[in-house]
Amino acid sequence: MSRPMDVQAELNDGLRELRLPAVRQSYEELARQAEREQLTYEQYLLELVHREEDARHEARISRLLRQSRIPREKNLETFDLKRLPVKAARQIKTLLEGDFLDRRENLLVFGHPGSGKTHALCAVGLALIAQGRKLHFTTSALLVQDLLRAKQELKLSRLIKQLSSYEGLIIDELGYGQQSREEMEVLFTLLAERYERGSVLLSSNLPFSQWTLIFKDAMTTAAAIDRLVHHSVIVELNVASYRLEAAKKNQPGIVDGGEPPEKTEPAADPAGSSQDSSG
Ligand code: ADP
Ligand code: MG
């Protein structure tokens, strides 16, 4: 039998080697507790196993959070569902169950600037990550930049493959900024590749009828809309701008000059024949 000091040193080394940091951290304290509470060897071991499992789960979630690039402050706690149209709030609650990711369905969020599209996508994303799901947040502009750079370096398919490791790819602000045809081609390639393979969660302040502004020609636009809408949940946040309301509260005199011009407002039903699967 080794001496107690040697046992500890060897245990520490072994647990380090086996990469069981939580066991290493808690075995001593738990051993004292086990003596006090007269736990069986199995109960003691089980408690240690649980500690390691918990630590790994936590580490995995923080890794997923980091990789997701989702702004942490746009979470469900800071998102007031009561401000949303009843249907949108109900849809978002259903989305939080995460089944749409298993079905590789898309989430398309429409609304005026300031209506909470970005916050809604982030809040759903963060909640799903807490359940261990893998998502990534980017804006349409950033994504297009990355895709173009990859294309120039002949690494487009590699990047698309990397992105396919995410169950949900959040593409925020589709339609902001006028992009060139080449820029939109890479975006279309990505959407086509992801079709039925992984969920896309996107927001746009442009109704489908104006997506030719994004995809340039009618054919590409129709093809992009087809793929996105085919299996999708469409959430419409057609509510007064939250930014504007907050400003109004602080400055009662403010008038509605901050609202977007007519043409950027989504139509009542952006999808036309919406295949809203969340009912
Ligand atoms: P959009 O992306 O549609 O332009 P944002 O999601 O950026 O709008 O929302 C604008 C601001 O208002 C953000 O600071 C956001 O956190 C806040 N906001 C919007 N909707 C809500 C809501 N329902 N509850 C709490 N804050 C909200
Ligand atoms: Mg936004």
Side-chain angles (χ1 to χ4, degrees), residues 164-233:
S164 73
S165 75
Y166 295 105
E167 300 176 89
L169 179 63
I170 303 177
I171 307 175
D172 196 25
E173 289 178 23
L174 188 74
Y176 269 131
Q178 288 295 315
Q179 274 123 348
S180 72
R181 184 175 286 269
E182 198 194 5
E183 289 174 319
M184 282 309 118
E185 265 168 24
V186 283
L187 183 59
F188 180 80
T189 305
L190 170 79
L191 293 177
E193 290 282 328
R194 260 194 102 78
Y195 176 60
E196 293 188 332
R197 295 203 193 127
S199 299
V200 170
L201 295 75
L202 72 76
S203 74
S204 182
N205 62 331
L206 292 179
F208 288 137
S209 60
Q210 289 178 32
W211 277 27
T212 39
L213 292 175
I214 306 169
F215 290 101
K216 306 304 166 195
D217 67 85
M219 280 260 285
T220 316
T221 306
I225 293 175
D226 259 12
R227 284 173 174 75
L228 283 170
V229 173
H230 186 198
H231 309 283
S232 71
V233 179

Side-chain angles (χ1 to χ4, degrees), residues 74 78-81 83-84 111-120 172 176 242-243:
K74 293 193 193 284
T78 57
F79 194 56
D80 186 359
L81 281 172
R83 299 190 57 92
L84 271 43
H112 309 313
S115 61
K117 299 183 295 298
T118 302
H119 200 143
D172 196 25
Y176 269 131
Y242 193 82
R243 284 194 200 103

Side-chain angles (χ1 to χ4, degrees), residues 81-82 84-97 233 235-237 276-279:
L81 281 172
K82 289 198 284 295
L84 271 43
V86 177
K87 182 177 176 191
R90 204 179 58 223
Q91 286 174 311
I92 285 177
K93 280 182 198 149
T94 307
L95 290 164
L96 296 176
E97 289 161 20
V233 179
V235 175
E236 292 175 55
L237 302 178
D276 174 3
S277 56
S278 81

Side-chain angles (χ1 to χ4, degrees), residues 2-278:
S2 314
R3 288 177 301 141
M5 284 305 283
D6 296 342
V7 169
Q8 268 196 12
E10 270 187 50
L11 248 181
N12 282 327
D13 287 350
L15 291 169
R16 194 176 283 120
E17 179 113 345
L18 292 171
R19 294 180 210 289
L20 296 167
V23 173
R24 189 158 54 83
Q25 242 191 359
S26 40
Y27 79 86
E28 274 188 87
E29 172 214 324
L30 276 178
R32 303 291 89 77
Q33 191 185 332
E35 279 167 7
R36 277 198 310 276
E37 298 176 10
Q38 300 190 324
L39 300 187
T40 63
Y41 293 119
E42 284 88 350
Q43 283 171 324
Y44 169 64
L45 184 58
L46 179 63
E47 187 54 40
L48 282 177
V49 167
H50 281 162
R51 295 267 175 123
E52 190 64 40
E53 281 174 345
D54 291 350
R56 283 189 192 194
H57 179 74
E58 250 175 63
R60 180 177 140 77
I61 301 295
S62 12
R63 196 170 57 243
L64 288 173
L65 272 174
R66 228 174 19 252
Q67 289 172 347
S68 77
R69 303 261 177 90
I70 303 181
R72 308 285 172 90
E73 70 281 3
K74 293 193 193 284
N75 53 47
L76 214 50
E77 285 72 50
T78 57
F79 194 56
D80 186 359
L81 281 172
K82 289 198 284 295
R83 299 190 57 92
L84 271 43
V86 177
K87 182 177 176 191
R90 204 179 58 223
Q91 286 174 311
I92 285 177
K93 280 182 198 149
T94 307
L95 290 164
L96 296 176
E97 289 161 20
D99 306 5
F100 77 103
L101 292 177
D102 299 320
R103 293 191 298 264
R104 292 162 173 72
E105 285 172 5
N106 299 323
L107 164 60
L108 313 177
V109 181
F110 291 90
H112 309 313
S115 61
K117 299 183 295 298
T118 302
H119 200 143
L121 286 180
C122 292
V124 168
L126 289 172
L128 293 174
I129 288 171
Q131 298 167 27
R133 313 299 300 244
K134 208 173 163 196
L135 292 102
H136 186 71
F137 176 93
T138 183
T139 63
S140 168
L142 272 178
L143 176 63
V144 164
Q145 262 181 34
D146 288 346
L147 290 168
L148 264 191
R149 192 176 326 108
K151 190 185 168 194
Q152 275 151 16
E153 294 167 1
L154 305 178
K155 291 174 184 162
L156 183 60
S157 54
R158 189 191 298 179
L159 176 58
I160 288 177
K161 195 167 167 222
Q162 265 170 26
L163 292 172
S164 73
S165 75
Y166 295 105
E167 300 176 89
L169 179 63
I170 303 177
I171 307 175
D172 196 25
E173 289 178 23
L174 188 74
Y176 269 131
Q178 288 295 315
Q179 274 123 348
S180 72
R181 184 175 286 269
E182 198 194 5
E183 289 174 319
M184 282 309 118
E185 265 168 24
V186 283
L187 183 59
F188 180 80
T189 305
L190 170 79
L191 293 177
E193 290 282 328
R194 260 194 102 78
Y195 176 60
E196 293 188 332
R197 295 203 193 127
S199 299
V200 170
L201 295 75
L202 72 76
S203 74
S204 182
N205 62 331
L206 292 179
F208 288 137
S209 60
Q210 289 178 32
W211 277 27
T212 39
L213 292 175
I214 306 169
F215 290 101
K216 306 304 166 195
D217 67 85
M219 280 260 285
T220 316
T221 306
I225 293 175
D226 259 12
R227 284 173 174 75
L228 283 170
V229 173
H230 186 198
H231 309 283
S232 71
V233 179
I234 294 172
V235 175
E236 292 175 55
L237 302 178
N238 259 332
V239 287
S241 165
Y242 193 82
R243 284 194 200 103
L244 188 67
E245 284 202 8
K248 270 191 204 159
K249 229 177 250 167
N250 298 335
Q251 300 163 269
I254 202 166
V255 288
D256 281 29
E259 281 297 280
E262 262 305 292
K263 73 176 181 58
T264 62
E265 291 183 16
D269 178 9
S273 59
S274 156
Q275 307 205 4
D276 174 3
S277 56
S278 81

